[in-house]
Amino acid sequence: MTSETTPSNTIQLTIQDGFATITLNRPKQLNSFNEEMHNALATTLDEVVANEQVRAIIITGEGKGFCAGQDLGNRDPRKQTYDLGQTITEFYNPLMKRLKDIGKPTIAVVNGVAAGAGIGIALACDIVLCADKAKFAMAFGKIGLVPDSGLTWTLVQLVGLARAKALVLTNATLSAEQALEYGLVWKVYESDRLMDEAIKLATALAHGPALGTALTIKALNQATNNSLEKQLELEANYQREAGYSDDYKEGVTAFLEKRPAIFYKEKNEY
Ligand code: T3D
């Protein structure tokens, strides 16, 4: 079953086989963010969270880019000054927190260049796949800005302080292979295979145990801030919750009956 809605021209949403595909759709501007796209993405995320048939989420870009961060066509500092802190507080920070706490597995499918906050969005997803032609352009320093969209935190977590500093201070542009080597992405595919592989992954996640998956992501996201002792306590609590779920019952029953577990059926399969 496939359904498509377009909350705005700037975002496209498709729902099929238990997962949603959200496409950033301003290809002429390399899918950079204006206010309309921020608002449309927020509405779309609300919609996919509320939809029980959505059990995994792909985020990708239309055309040759993934996302070039803020739309600079909307900025002309020769004519006026801007309170960029306000944009970050109103749009980017809520988006980053939303992606982290969304409760369903997210996959960034980086089809082309990601720059500035576009990298932040990709790295806020649980799994990042990218095309062999994709690149990751830090960009902020070139226009006199500071990395945002959580990147000062995420990059340090992923690549370590020394590499994070060098990447942003030199305004580095990483190729897909370098991003893979640095641990920013999970897998690199040839462009014409990328979406097929993403769909396979999203379908597999959608058919997995939803509660266990959500709790696993939550536990891993909390790990960096917790002591081992705190994390052990949290694991016990999450395991208790997962252990009471129908998915656990089905998983163990399937094991004992020597058959694959069935955690999810599309509504029209009932
Ligand atoms: O302002 C605030 O609210 C604060 C928030 C900040 C968050 C941020 O993300 S700050 C960082 C903003 N982003 C950038 O600085 C990236 C700017 N773009 C680039 O550096 C390069 O375009 C890329 C490295 C991303 C890609 O380079 P390349 O050579 O592959 O493509 P290109 O030819 O430069 O761009 C293709 C088109 O996309 C081009 O339009 P044209 O000439 O064909 O009509 C270019 O102007 C447009 N484009 C690319 N990035 C943006 C953009 N248009 C608007 N905003 C962009 N960010």
Side-chain angles (χ1 to χ4, degrees):
M1 187 173 59
T2 304
S3 73
E4 286 192 38
T5 54
T6 45
S8 138
N9 285 335
T10 59
I11 293 289
Q12 286 175 344
L13 170 65
T14 309
I15 297 173
Q16 65 184 99
D17 299 332
F19 69 90
T21 303
I22 296 174
T23 306
L24 310 177
N25 187 35
R26 301 185 71 236
K28 283 188 187 145
Q29 296 83 11
L30 294 180
N31 305 315
S32 55
F33 273 88
N34 61 7
E35 221 171 289
E36 183 187 346
M37 193 163 95
H38 269 298
N39 288 327
L41 181 57
T43 307
T44 305
L45 291 173
D46 285 345
E47 189 177 332
V48 297
V49 168
N51 187 336
E52 285 180 9
Q53 287 295 300
V54 174
R55 295 161 59 96
I57 301 164
I58 287 175
I59 299 180
T60 191
E62 180 62 34
K64 71 172 192 159
F66 173 71
C67 173
Q70 174 65 31
D71 183 348
L72 298 180
N74 273 350
R75 301 273 182 253
D76 190 348
R78 293 167 300 185
K79 295 192 178 139
Q80 67 175 99
T81 54
Y82 300 92
D83 177 357
L84 301 188
Q86 198 250 336
T87 328
I88 300 299
T89 311
E90 189 176 347
F91 295 111
Y92 289 100
N93 286 357
L95 172 58
M96 293 308 129
K97 288 184 199 160
R98 193 75 208 278
L99 288 172
K100 278 288 169 206
D101 291 337
I102 205 154
K104 304 184 184 197
T106 51
I107 306 167
V109 178
V110 182
N111 50 304
V113 66
I119 302 178
I121 289 162
L123 300 186
C125 292
D126 298 313
I127 299 179
V128 186
L129 307 181
C130 80
D132 52 1
K133 63 169 191 200
K135 51 187 180 174
F136 296 79
M138 294 301 155
F140 298 97
K142 280 195 179 162
I143 54 168
L145 292 186
V146 176
D148 56 31
S149 57
L151 278 171
T152 56
W153 190 87
T154 317
L155 279 176
V156 174
Q157 301 292 335
L158 291 176
V159 304
L161 184 58
R163 268 183 169 167
K165 279 184 180 166
L167 283 176
V168 294
L169 293 177
T170 65
N171 294 310
T173 295
L174 294 181
S175 66
E177 284 309 318
Q178 286 169 314
L180 183 67
E181 185 198 329
Y182 284 19
L184 296 182
V185 308
W186 168 239
K187 281 189 180 166
V188 178
Y189 294 105
E190 285 169 12
S191 291
D192 53 3
R193 266 184 67 200
L194 177 66
M195 197 38 91
D196 287 346
E197 294 295 338
I199 287 172
K200 265 192 237 165
L201 177 60
T203 307
L205 289 168
H207 285 77
L211 178 67
T213 301
L215 291 173
T216 301
I217 292 168
K218 214 167 147 184
L220 291 169
N221 282 342
Q222 284 167 288
T224 44
N225 293 332
N226 281 343
S227 61
L228 174 60
E229 196 177 328
K230 183 88 191 138
Q231 200 67 10
L232 290 172
E233 191 187 319
L234 175 151
E235 286 176 4
N237 289 332
Y238 288 179
Q239 202 67 300
R240 180 173 300 111
E241 196 177 338
Y244 288 132
S245 70
D246 288 343
D247 287 340
Y248 175 65
K249 196 167 158 190
E250 164 62 8
V252 179
T253 305
F255 174 79
L256 297 174
E257 293 176 357
K258 299 189 187 300
R259 62 169 175 82
I262 299 170
F263 297 116
Y264 167 69
K265 281 185 185 170
E266 269 197 84
K267 255 189 190 150
N268 63 356
E269 285 177 358
Y270 285 107

PDB file of all heavy atoms in Angstrom, residues 83-117:
ATOM      1  N   ASP A  83      19.430  38.070  13.163  1.00  0.00           N
ATOM      2  CA  ASP A  83      19.659  37.367  14.429  1.00  0.00           C
ATOM      3  C   ASP A  83      19.636  35.873  14.113  1.00  0.00           C
ATOM      4  O   ASP A  83      18.581  35.238  14.126  1.00  0.00           O
ATOM      5  CB  ASP A  83      18.573  37.733  15.446  1.00  0.00           C
ATOM      6  CG  ASP A  83      18.748  36.963  16.757  1.00  0.00           C
ATOM      7  OD1 ASP A  83      19.667  36.117  16.843  1.00  0.00           O
ATOM      8  OD2 ASP A  83      17.965  37.197  17.683  1.00  0.00           O
ATOM      9  N   LEU A  84      20.811  35.347  13.788  1.00  0.00           N
ATOM     10  CA  LEU A  84      20.854  33.934  13.382  1.00  0.00           C
ATOM     11  C   LEU A  84      20.573  33.005  14.561  1.00  0.00           C
ATOM     12  O   LEU A  84      20.097  31.886  14.379  1.00  0.00           O
ATOM     13  CB  LEU A  84      22.212  33.606  12.742  1.00  0.00           C
ATOM     14  CG  LEU A  84      22.576  34.421  11.493  1.00  0.00           C
ATOM     15  CD1 LEU A  84      23.841  33.874  10.857  1.00  0.00           C
ATOM     16  CD2 LEU A  84      21.448  34.436  10.470  1.00  0.00           C
ATOM     17  N   GLY A  85      20.865  33.496  15.765  1.00  0.00           N
ATOM     18  CA  GLY A  85      20.541  32.699  16.952  1.00  0.00           C
ATOM     19  C   GLY A  85      19.054  32.394  17.003  1.00  0.00           C
ATOM     20  O   GLY A  85      18.626  31.321  17.433  1.00  0.00           O
ATOM     21  N   GLN A  86      18.273  33.349  16.515  1.00  0.00           N
ATOM     22  CA  GLN A  86      16.821  33.168  16.541  1.00  0.00           C
ATOM     23  C   GLN A  86      16.396  32.053  15.565  1.00  0.00           C
ATOM     24  O   GLN A  86      15.580  31.201  15.893  1.00  0.00           O
ATOM     25  CB  GLN A  86      16.168  34.500  16.174  1.00  0.00           C
ATOM     26  CG  GLN A  86      14.711  34.593  16.569  1.00  0.00           C
ATOM     27  CD  GLN A  86      13.807  34.587  15.341  1.00  0.00           C
ATOM     28  OE1 GLN A  86      14.249  34.951  14.253  1.00  0.00           O
ATOM     29  NE2 GLN A  86      12.581  34.162  15.513  1.00  0.00           N
ATOM     30  N   THR A  87      17.013  32.022  14.355  1.00  0.00           N
ATOM     31  CA  THR A  87      16.699  30.945  13.386  1.00  0.00           C
ATOM     32  C   THR A  87      17.058  29.584  13.972  1.00  0.00           C
ATOM     33  O   THR A  87      16.338  28.611  13.816  1.00  0.00           O
ATOM     34  CB  THR A  87      17.546  31.083  12.096  1.00  0.00           C
ATOM     35  OG1 THR A  87      17.801  32.422  11.844  1.00  0.00           O
ATOM     36  CG2 THR A  87      16.922  30.371  10.944  1.00  0.00           C
ATOM     37  N   ILE A  88      18.225  29.577  14.631  1.00  0.00           N
ATOM     38  CA  ILE A  88      18.686  28.297  15.188  1.00  0.00           C
ATOM     39  C   ILE A  88      17.716  27.845  16.282  1.00  0.00           C
ATOM     40  O   ILE A  88      17.305  26.685  16.325  1.00  0.00           O
ATOM     41  CB  ILE A  88      20.114  28.461  15.799  1.00  0.00           C
ATOM     42  CG1 ILE A  88      21.118  28.909  14.731  1.00  0.00           C
ATOM     43  CG2 ILE A  88      20.571  27.164  16.465  1.00  0.00           C
ATOM     44  CD1 ILE A  88      21.308  27.984  13.577  1.00  0.00           C
ATOM     45  N   THR A  89      17.328  28.783  17.146  1.00  0.00           N
ATOM     46  CA  THR A  89      16.441  28.421  18.257  1.00  0.00           C
ATOM     47  C   THR A  89      15.051  28.049  17.765  1.00  0.00           C
ATOM     48  O   THR A  89      14.418  27.122  18.278  1.00  0.00           O
ATOM     49  CB  THR A  89      16.313  29.629  19.221  1.00  0.00           C
ATOM     50  OG1 THR A  89      17.625  30.083  19.498  1.00  0.00           O
ATOM     51  CG2 THR A  89      15.650  29.251  20.512  1.00  0.00           C
ATOM     52  N   GLU A  90      14.594  28.769  16.743  1.00  0.00           N
ATOM     53  CA  GLU A  90      13.218  28.539  16.286  1.00  0.00           C
ATOM     54  C   GLU A  90      13.090  27.328  15.359  1.00  0.00           C
ATOM     55  O   GLU A  90      12.085  26.621  15.392  1.00  0.00           O
ATOM     56  CB  GLU A  90      12.730  29.806  15.565  1.00  0.00           C
ATOM     57  CG  GLU A  90      11.250  29.753  15.237  1.00  0.00           C
ATOM     58  CD  GLU A  90      10.751  31.051  14.599  1.00  0.00           C
ATOM     59  OE1 GLU A  90      11.479  32.083  14.639  1.00  0.00           O
ATOM     60  OE2 GLU A  90       9.638  31.018  14.055  1.00  0.00           O
ATOM     61  N   PHE A  91      14.112  27.082  14.540  1.00  0.00           N
ATOM     62  CA  PHE A  91      13.959  26.027  13.528  1.00  0.00           C
ATOM     63  C   PHE A  91      14.939  24.852  13.690  1.00  0.00           C
ATOM     64  O   PHE A  91      14.530  23.704  13.768  1.00  0.00           O
ATOM     65  CB  PHE A  91      14.114  26.616  12.121  1.00  0.00           C
ATOM     66  CG  PHE A  91      13.030  27.586  11.771  1.00  0.00           C
ATOM     67  CD1 PHE A  91      13.303  28.935  11.632  1.00  0.00           C
ATOM     68  CD2 PHE A  91      11.722  27.152  11.589  1.00  0.00           C
ATOM     69  CE1 PHE A  91      12.289  29.847  11.317  1.00  0.00           C
ATOM     70  CE2 PHE A  91      10.704  28.042  11.271  1.00  0.00           C
ATOM     71  CZ  PHE A  91      10.998  29.395  11.131  1.00  0.00           C
ATOM     72  N   TYR A  92      16.239  25.150  13.667  1.00  0.00           N
ATOM     73  CA  TYR A  92      17.202  24.033  13.603  1.00  0.00           C
ATOM     74  C   TYR A  92      17.239  23.226  14.897  1.00  0.00           C
ATOM     75  O   TYR A  92      17.226  21.996  14.867  1.00  0.00           O
ATOM     76  CB  TYR A  92      18.605  24.549  13.232  1.00  0.00           C
ATOM     77  CG  TYR A  92      18.684  24.991  11.783  1.00  0.00           C
ATOM     78  CD1 TYR A  92      18.611  26.334  11.439  1.00  0.00           C
ATOM     79  CD2 TYR A  92      18.800  24.063  10.755  1.00  0.00           C
ATOM     80  CE1 TYR A  92      18.661  26.745  10.117  1.00  0.00           C
ATOM     81  CE2 TYR A  92      18.855  24.468   9.423  1.00  0.00           C
ATOM     82  CZ  TYR A  92      18.783  25.806   9.119  1.00  0.00           C
ATOM     83  OH  TYR A  92      18.822  26.196   7.796  1.00  0.00           O
ATOM     84  N   ASN A  93      17.277  23.919  16.042  1.00  0.00           N
ATOM     85  CA  ASN A  93      17.369  23.153  17.294  1.00  0.00           C
ATOM     86  C   ASN A  93      16.154  22.253  17.524  1.00  0.00           C
ATOM     87  O   ASN A  93      16.317  21.072  17.859  1.00  0.00           O
ATOM     88  CB  ASN A  93      17.607  24.088  18.488  1.00  0.00           C
ATOM     89  CG  ASN A  93      19.030  24.626  18.509  1.00  0.00           C
ATOM     90  OD1 ASN A  93      19.837  24.246  17.668  1.00  0.00           O
ATOM     91  ND2 ASN A  93      19.334  25.498  19.441  1.00  0.00           N
ATOM     92  N   PRO A  94      14.926  22.772  17.332  1.00  0.00           N
ATOM     93  CA  PRO A  94      13.772  21.871  17.498  1.00  0.00           C
ATOM     94  C   PRO A  94      13.821  20.686  16.519  1.00  0.00           C
ATOM     95  O   PRO A  94      13.460  19.564  16.871  1.00  0.00           O
ATOM     96  CB  PRO A  94      12.568  22.771  17.199  1.00  0.00           C
ATOM     97  CG  PRO A  94      13.052  24.161  17.496  1.00  0.00           C
ATOM     98  CD  PRO A  94      14.508  24.171  17.141  1.00  0.00           C
ATOM     99  N   LEU A  95      14.315  20.945  15.292  1.00  0.00           N
ATOM    100  CA  LEU A  95      14.398  19.847  14.316  1.00  0.00           C
ATOM    101  C   LEU A  95      15.371  18.770  14.784  1.00  0.00           C
ATOM    102  O   LEU A  95      15.085  17.564  14.714  1.00  0.00           O
ATOM    103  CB  LEU A  95      14.830  20.419  12.951  1.00  0.00           C
ATOM    104  CG  LEU A  95      15.142  19.402  11.857  1.00  0.00           C
ATOM    105  CD1 LEU A  95      13.940  18.500  11.573  1.00  0.00           C
ATOM    106  CD2 LEU A  95      15.579  20.123  10.574  1.00  0.00           C
ATOM    107  N   MET A  96      16.524  19.212  15.289  1.00  0.00           N
ATOM    108  CA  MET A  96      17.519  18.230  15.752  1.00  0.00           C
ATOM    109  C   MET A  96      16.979  17.411  16.924  1.00  0.00           C
ATOM    110  O   MET A  96      17.131  16.194  16.967  1.00  0.00           O
ATOM    111  CB  MET A  96      18.814  18.927  16.194  1.00  0.00           C
ATOM    112  CG  MET A  96      19.561  19.585  15.088  1.00  0.00           C
ATOM    113  SD  MET A  96      19.831  18.445  13.721  1.00  0.00           S
ATOM    114  CE  MET A  96      19.235  19.449  12.393  1.00  0.00           C
ATOM    115  N   LYS A  97      16.320  18.101  17.864  1.00  0.00           N
ATOM    116  CA  LYS A  97      15.780  17.372  19.024  1.00  0.00           C
ATOM    117  C   LYS A  97      14.683  16.425  18.575  1.00  0.00           C
ATOM    118  O   LYS A  97      14.569  15.302  19.058  1.00  0.00           O
ATOM    119  CB  LYS A  97      15.227  18.370  20.056  1.00  0.00           C
ATOM    120  CG  LYS A  97      16.319  19.132  20.778  1.00  0.00           C
ATOM    121  CD  LYS A  97      15.720  20.026  21.854  1.00  0.00           C
ATOM    122  CE  LYS A  97      16.687  21.109  22.257  1.00  0.00           C
ATOM    123  NZ  LYS A  97      16.062  22.252  22.901  1.00  0.00           N
ATOM    124  N   ARG A  98      13.885  16.875  17.634  1.00  0.00           N
ATOM    125  CA  ARG A  98      12.791  16.050  17.116  1.00  0.00           C
ATOM    126  C   ARG A  98      13.350  14.768  16.485  1.00  0.00           C
ATOM    127  O   ARG A  98      12.869  13.666  16.720  1.00  0.00           O
ATOM    128  CB  ARG A  98      12.030  16.863  16.048  1.00  0.00           C
ATOM    129  CG  ARG A  98      10.722  16.273  15.670  1.00  0.00           C
ATOM    130  CD  ARG A  98       9.754  16.549  16.805  1.00  0.00           C
ATOM    131  NE  ARG A  98       8.704  15.565  16.911  1.00  0.00           N
ATOM    132  CZ  ARG A  98       7.602  15.562  16.193  1.00  0.00           C
ATOM    133  NH1 ARG A  98       7.397  16.496  15.307  1.00  0.00           N
ATOM    134  NH2 ARG A  98       6.700  14.624  16.364  1.00  0.00           N
ATOM    135  N   LEU A  99      14.379  14.932  15.673  1.00  0.00           N
ATOM    136  CA  LEU A  99      14.936  13.753  14.995  1.00  0.00           C
ATOM    137  C   LEU A  99      15.514  12.775  16.014  1.00  0.00           C
ATOM    138  O   LEU A  99      15.391  11.560  15.864  1.00  0.00           O
ATOM    139  CB  LEU A  99      16.002  14.171  13.980  1.00  0.00           C
ATOM    140  CG  LEU A  99      15.471  14.849  12.713  1.00  0.00           C
ATOM    141  CD1 LEU A  99      16.619  15.387  11.871  1.00  0.00           C
ATOM    142  CD2 LEU A  99      14.614  13.894  11.884  1.00  0.00           C
ATOM    143  N   LYS A 100      16.133  13.297  17.042  1.00  0.00           N
ATOM    144  CA  LYS A 100      16.743  12.413  18.049  1.00  0.00           C
ATOM    145  C   LYS A 100      15.703  11.663  18.863  1.00  0.00           C
ATOM    146  O   LYS A 100      15.917  10.523  19.273  1.00  0.00           O
ATOM    147  CB  LYS A 100      17.635  13.239  19.003  1.00  0.00           C
ATOM    148  CG  LYS A 100      19.010  13.511  18.446  1.00  0.00           C
ATOM    149  CD  LYS A 100      19.883  12.258  18.430  1.00  0.00           C
ATOM    150  CE  LYS A 100      21.159  12.465  17.641  1.00  0.00           C
ATOM    151  NZ  LYS A 100      21.726  11.238  17.069  1.00  0.00           N
ATOM    152  N   ASP A 101      14.547  12.312  19.103  1.00  0.00           N
ATOM    153  CA  ASP A 101      13.538  11.716  20.002  1.00  0.00           C
ATOM    154  C   ASP A 101      12.340  11.174  19.255  1.00  0.00           C
ATOM    155  O   ASP A 101      11.265  11.040  19.827  1.00  0.00           O
ATOM    156  CB  ASP A 101      13.023  12.785  20.992  1.00  0.00           C
ATOM    157  CG  ASP A 101      14.104  13.176  21.974  1.00  0.00           C
ATOM    158  OD1 ASP A 101      15.026  12.372  22.166  1.00  0.00           O
ATOM    159  OD2 ASP A 101      14.034  14.294  22.518  1.00  0.00           O
ATOM    160  N   ILE A 102      12.496  10.875  18.002  1.00  0.00           N
ATOM    161  CA  ILE A 102      11.309  10.621  17.181  1.00  0.00           C
ATOM    162  C   ILE A 102      10.648   9.257  17.484  1.00  0.00           C
ATOM    163  O   ILE A 102       9.481   9.035  17.183  1.00  0.00           O
ATOM    164  CB  ILE A 102      11.666  10.802  15.678  1.00  0.00           C
ATOM    165  CG1 ILE A 102      10.414  11.164  14.893  1.00  0.00           C
ATOM    166  CG2 ILE A 102      12.367   9.606  15.101  1.00  0.00           C
ATOM    167  CD1 ILE A 102      10.701  11.942  13.638  1.00  0.00           C
ATOM    168  N   GLY A 103      11.396   8.344  18.071  1.00  0.00           N
ATOM    169  CA  GLY A 103      10.785   7.082  18.509  1.00  0.00           C
ATOM    170  C   GLY A 103      10.631   6.055  17.397  1.00  0.00           C
ATOM    171  O   GLY A 103      10.045   4.988  17.600  1.00  0.00           O
ATOM    172  N   LYS A 104      11.100   6.366  16.194  1.00  0.00           N
ATOM    173  CA  LYS A 104      11.076   5.408  15.080  1.00  0.00           C
ATOM    174  C   LYS A 104      12.448   5.503  14.405  1.00  0.00           C
ATOM    175  O   LYS A 104      13.027   6.599  14.370  1.00  0.00           O
ATOM    176  CB  LYS A 104       9.980   5.780  14.075  1.00  0.00           C
ATOM    177  CG  LYS A 104       8.596   5.880  14.716  1.00  0.00           C
ATOM    178  CD  LYS A 104       7.475   6.166  13.718  1.00  0.00           C
ATOM    179  CE  LYS A 104       6.177   6.330  14.505  1.00  0.00           C
ATOM    180  NZ  LYS A 104       4.968   6.217  13.716  1.00  0.00           N
ATOM    181  N   PRO A 105      12.968   4.410  13.885  1.00  0.00           N
ATOM    182  CA  PRO A 105      14.300   4.486  13.284  1.00  0.00           C
ATOM    183  C   PRO A 105      14.325   5.385  12.045  1.00  0.00           C
ATOM    184  O   PRO A 105      13.417   5.332  11.218  1.00  0.00           O
ATOM    185  CB  PRO A 105      14.619   3.033  12.921  1.00  0.00           C
ATOM    186  CG  PRO A 105      13.309   2.328  12.922  1.00  0.00           C
ATOM    187  CD  PRO A 105      12.393   3.067  13.830  1.00  0.00           C
ATOM    188  N   THR A 106      15.374   6.201  11.959  1.00  0.00           N
ATOM    189  CA  THR A 106      15.500   7.128  10.820  1.00  0.00           C
ATOM    190  C   THR A 106      16.738   6.776   9.994  1.00  0.00           C
ATOM    191  O   THR A 106      17.783   6.414  10.545  1.00  0.00           O
ATOM    192  CB  THR A 106      15.626   8.589  11.325  1.00  0.00           C
ATOM    193  OG1 THR A 106      16.660   8.640  12.318  1.00  0.00           O
ATOM    194  CG2 THR A 106      14.335   9.090  11.920  1.00  0.00           C
ATOM    195  N   ILE A 107      16.586   6.919   8.695  1.00  0.00           N
ATOM    196  CA  ILE A 107      17.706   6.652   7.779  1.00  0.00           C
ATOM    197  C   ILE A 107      17.904   7.893   6.919  1.00  0.00           C
ATOM    198  O   ILE A 107      16.982   8.324   6.224  1.00  0.00           O
ATOM    199  CB  ILE A 107      17.381   5.469   6.834  1.00  0.00           C
ATOM    200  CG1 ILE A 107      16.967   4.232   7.630  1.00  0.00           C
ATOM    201  CG2 ILE A 107      18.570   5.158   5.920  1.00  0.00           C
ATOM    202  CD1 ILE A 107      16.334   3.145   6.750  1.00  0.00           C
ATOM    203  N   ALA A 108      19.114   8.474   6.963  1.00  0.00           N
ATOM    204  CA  ALA A 108      19.419   9.565   6.035  1.00  0.00           C
ATOM    205  C   ALA A 108      19.971   8.935   4.770  1.00  0.00           C
ATOM    206  O   ALA A 108      20.904   8.123   4.829  1.00  0.00           O
ATOM    207  CB  ALA A 108      20.452  10.509   6.644  1.00  0.00           C
ATOM    208  N   VAL A 109      19.390   9.291   3.647  1.00  0.00           N
ATOM    209  CA  VAL A 109      19.882   8.784   2.365  1.00  0.00           C
ATOM    210  C   VAL A 109      20.492   9.985   1.645  1.00  0.00           C
ATOM    211  O   VAL A 109      19.799  10.798   1.022  1.00  0.00           O
ATOM    212  CB  VAL A 109      18.733   8.145   1.553  1.00  0.00           C
ATOM    213  CG1 VAL A 109      19.247   7.660   0.203  1.00  0.00           C
ATOM    214  CG2 VAL A 109      18.142   6.983   2.343  1.00  0.00           C
ATOM    215  N   VAL A 110      21.805  10.103   1.778  1.00  0.00           N
ATOM    216  CA  VAL A 110      22.510  11.281   1.285  1.00  0.00           C
ATOM    217  C   VAL A 110      22.852  11.034  -0.185  1.00  0.00           C
ATOM    218  O   VAL A 110      23.849  10.399  -0.529  1.00  0.00           O
ATOM    219  CB  VAL A 110      23.771  11.566   2.147  1.00  0.00           C
ATOM    220  CG1 VAL A 110      24.474  12.832   1.668  1.00  0.00           C
ATOM    221  CG2 VAL A 110      23.385  11.707   3.617  1.00  0.00           C
ATOM    222  N   ASN A 111      21.978  11.549  -1.035  1.00  0.00           N
ATOM    223  CA  ASN A 111      22.051  11.271  -2.468  1.00  0.00           C
ATOM    224  C   ASN A 111      23.085  12.131  -3.184  1.00  0.00           C
ATOM    225  O   ASN A 111      23.500  11.808  -4.300  1.00  0.00           O
ATOM    226  CB  ASN A 111      20.665  11.503  -3.090  1.00  0.00           C
ATOM    227  CG  ASN A 111      20.087  12.852  -2.694  1.00  0.00           C
ATOM    228  OD1 ASN A 111      19.963  13.142  -1.506  1.00  0.00           O
ATOM    229  ND2 ASN A 111      19.750  13.670  -3.654  1.00  0.00           N
ATOM    230  N   GLY A 112      23.490  13.238  -2.561  1.00  0.00           N
ATOM    231  CA  GLY A 112      24.462  14.134  -3.210  1.00  0.00           C
ATOM    232  C   GLY A 112      25.113  14.970  -2.126  1.00  0.00           C
ATOM    233  O   GLY A 112      25.274  14.509  -0.988  1.00  0.00           O
ATOM    234  N   VAL A 113      25.437  16.224  -2.464  1.00  0.00           N
ATOM    235  CA  VAL A 113      26.162  17.030  -1.482  1.00  0.00           C
ATOM    236  C   VAL A 113      25.301  17.348  -0.246  1.00  0.00           C
ATOM    237  O   VAL A 113      24.099  17.603  -0.351  1.00  0.00           O
ATOM    238  CB  VAL A 113      26.700  18.331  -2.145  1.00  0.00           C
ATOM    239  CG1 VAL A 113      25.562  19.243  -2.581  1.00  0.00           C
ATOM    240  CG2 VAL A 113      27.653  19.069  -1.214  1.00  0.00           C
ATOM    241  N   ALA A 114      25.952  17.277   0.915  1.00  0.00           N
ATOM    242  CA  ALA A 114      25.354  17.764   2.164  1.00  0.00           C
ATOM    243  C   ALA A 114      26.300  18.850   2.661  1.00  0.00           C
ATOM    244  O   ALA A 114      27.519  18.648   2.705  1.00  0.00           O
ATOM    245  CB  ALA A 114      25.251  16.644   3.198  1.00  0.00           C
ATOM    246  N   ALA A 115      25.737  20.004   3.011  1.00  0.00           N
ATOM    247  CA  ALA A 115      26.597  21.100   3.491  1.00  0.00           C
ATOM    248  C   ALA A 115      25.958  21.764   4.693  1.00  0.00           C
ATOM    249  O   ALA A 115      24.729  21.766   4.833  1.00  0.00           O
ATOM    250  CB  ALA A 115      26.816  22.135   2.389  1.00  0.00           C
ATOM    251  N   GLY A 116      26.795  22.345   5.563  1.00  0.00           N
ATOM    252  CA  GLY A 116      26.291  23.080   6.717  1.00  0.00           C
ATOM    253  C   GLY A 116      25.304  22.249   7.519  1.00  0.00           C
ATOM    254  O   GLY A 116      25.555  21.077   7.846  1.00  0.00           O
ATOM    255  N   ALA A 117      24.149  22.855   7.800  1.00  0.00           N
ATOM    256  CA  ALA A 117      23.142  22.156   8.597  1.00  0.00           C
ATOM    257  C   ALA A 117      22.627  20.893   7.892  1.00  0.00           C
ATOM    258  O   ALA A 117      22.045  20.017   8.543  1.00  0.00           O
ATOM    259  CB  ALA A 117      21.984  23.093   8.908  1.00  0.00           C
TER     260      ALA A 117
END
